[in-house]
Amino acid sequence: EPREEEVEREEAVASVSAKDYDKQVFKGVAKVDGASMSDEALRDLADSFFLSSSPDPAPSREVSEEQVFAHLAAALLQLPEGEMTARGAALTANAFLKTNQASAAVMSMLARAVLALPPSSFHPQNIANLANAFARQPSLLPP
């Protein structure tokens, strides 16, 4: 059964154009309590910024990409241990790297989350995505 957040999101998408929806989401991120976000919600939010059907390249945004990803990083770093899935870690790492917003703290947290998962919990695609993410910026990994 869909969560209330998902139902609200689908209703919002249906009621406004894709461009207007993207702007609403972008502005609303700063209002989200990062500590209450699941890894799936965090991943979906990060994905929404570069999977948008109508990106707005205008530099006059009220909220910058850097602000959004800084907020997402703060939320990510507050996640309790064991909250991240292999898929969530893979998508989150690639989102931060794709937008050049990855930091040593974010990548280190994701590396620790991956190492805490049992090997049997990884789907082959998650392994490929994680290997790709960590290979893209090895300098951000802990020694």
Side-chain angles (χ1 to χ4, degrees):
E1 187 170 306
R3 295 185 308 196
E4 185 177 315
E5 299 164 351
E6 294 170 325
V7 171
E8 289 175 6
R9 181 178 176 194
E10 289 173 13
E11 289 172 356
V13 170
S15 68
V16 295
S17 73
K19 185 175 183 179
D20 290 339
Y21 176 73
D22 292 346
K23 287 181 180 179
Q24 288 175 3
V25 170
F26 201 71
K27 289 178 183 176
V29 171
K31 298 177 186 174
V32 174
D33 177 15
S36 66
M37 293 180 74
S38 70
D39 69 318
E40 186 173 318
L42 185 67
R43 173 193 42 105
D44 289 344
L45 186 60
D47 283 350
S48 71
F49 289 100
F50 55 83
L51 297 177
S52 170
S53 60
S54 61
D56 183 7
S60 63
R61 289 183 172 153
E62 293 178 32
V63 179
S64 70
E65 182 178 271
E66 291 80 14
Q67 290 172 306
V68 171
F69 276 88
H71 190 74
L72 292 173
L76 179 66
L77 295 172
Q78 293 179 23
L79 285 178
E81 188 173 319
E83 191 73 19
M84 186 66 72
T85 64
R87 182 173 185 244
L91 292 170
T92 302
N94 277 294
F96 275 88
L97 288 165
K98 183 173 185 172
T99 58
N100 294 317
Q101 300 298 319
S103 67
V106 165
M107 296 306 289
S108 180
M109 183 277 185
L110 291 170
R112 285 191 309 274
V114 167
L115 293 173
L117 294 170
S120 62
S121 69
F122 289 86
H123 182 277
Q125 186 65 51
N126 300 141
I127 295 168
N129 290 342
L130 285 162
N132 178 57
F134 290 121
R136 287 168 62 189
Q137 286 291 328
S139 63
L140 295 177
L141 289 176

